[in-house]
Each structure stands twice: as structure tokens, then as C-alpha cells.
Amino acid sequence: MKNHQNLTLLFWHRKSKADANGLAPVICRITIEGEEPEELGIGMKVHLKNWDIENKKAKGSGTNEKKTNLKISEVTVDLTRHFQTLQNQYENITPLMVKNV
């Protein structure tokens, strides 16, 4: 029952939700072709000046930036693994299905 849908993950920080210290939450947008995207907060915040827009990760060598980048890697691996598992079980997968797993 393997399907041929593609999963795309985009990480970004939500500037509009930045707190007084300039820390904005990091969000993961889960997109599967032909489906409505879903967003998932990863539970990390990055200072507005420490976000690398081009590489979609925190820049800098501070502890918070390293933890954030590690969390981004973990979320990427987990969501990709769950997507592959769902591909073997279902004909059509939605971003909400991946988010809920």
C-alpha cells in the first residue's frame, strides 16, 4: 500500500509571537503535496537576531542555539520516520495524521 506522497518540513520562527526579550517560538510546518499544511510548535524559542533564515536553524554557539538545533534535528527525524510508517499503512496521508502521531 506504499504511496508516493512527499513530505516537506519547514522550520521558522514566529516573529509576531516574540516576547519582551526578543525570543520567538520555533514552528515546524508539515506539508504533504496536495494537502492543507499543519503547524507544530517544537517547544523552543530563539532570539530574533539568532535565526538563520536561509538555513532554517538557530545561529550562534550558545547553549540555547545548540539545544534548538538539536531539537530541530530530532523533530525532523521523528516526523520523517512517522511519515514513512504511515506510508506503509495508508493510501493517502495528511499533515494532520503526521502531526497527531
Side-chain angles (χ1 to χ4, degrees):
M1 221 183 343
K2 183 96 170 158
N3 71 27
H4 299 288
Q5 291 178 294
N6 291 320
L7 172 71
T8 304
L9 302 175
L10 172 71
F11 291 90
W12 55 288
H13 70 302
R14 185 169 277 157
K15 292 185 238 182
S16 63
K17 299 283 184 177
D19 62 17
N21 296 325
L23 296 173
V26 177
I27 307 296
C28 174
R29 181 178 294 138
I30 304 166
T31 306
I32 298 174
E33 57 194 48
E35 301 290 337
E36 190 70 27
E38 285 288 327
E39 292 181 354
L40 171 71
I42 68 166
M44 302 297 289
K45 290 186 174 188
V46 175
H47 196 278
L48 295 173
K49 66 178 182 164
N50 289 344
W51 184 253
D52 186 344
I53 295 170
E54 188 174 312
N55 294 315
K56 311 293 189 244
K57 64 179 188 175
K59 60 184 176 183
S61 58
T63 305
N64 186 48
E65 288 79 15
K66 288 180 182 178
K67 285 182 182 178
T68 300
N69 289 334
L70 179 62
K71 184 69 171 183
I72 288 171
S73 296
E74 289 173 355
V75 169
T76 300
V77 168
D78 287 345
L79 291 177
T80 302
R81 184 170 31 89
H82 292 310
F83 176 71
Q84 290 169 343
T85 302
L86 289 169
Q87 274 187 314
N88 294 323
Q89 297 174 355
Y90 298 98
E91 185 76 26
N92 190 36
I93 302 164
T94 65
L96 184 60
M97 290 168 72
V98 176
K99 178 182 176 180
N100 288 339
V101 171

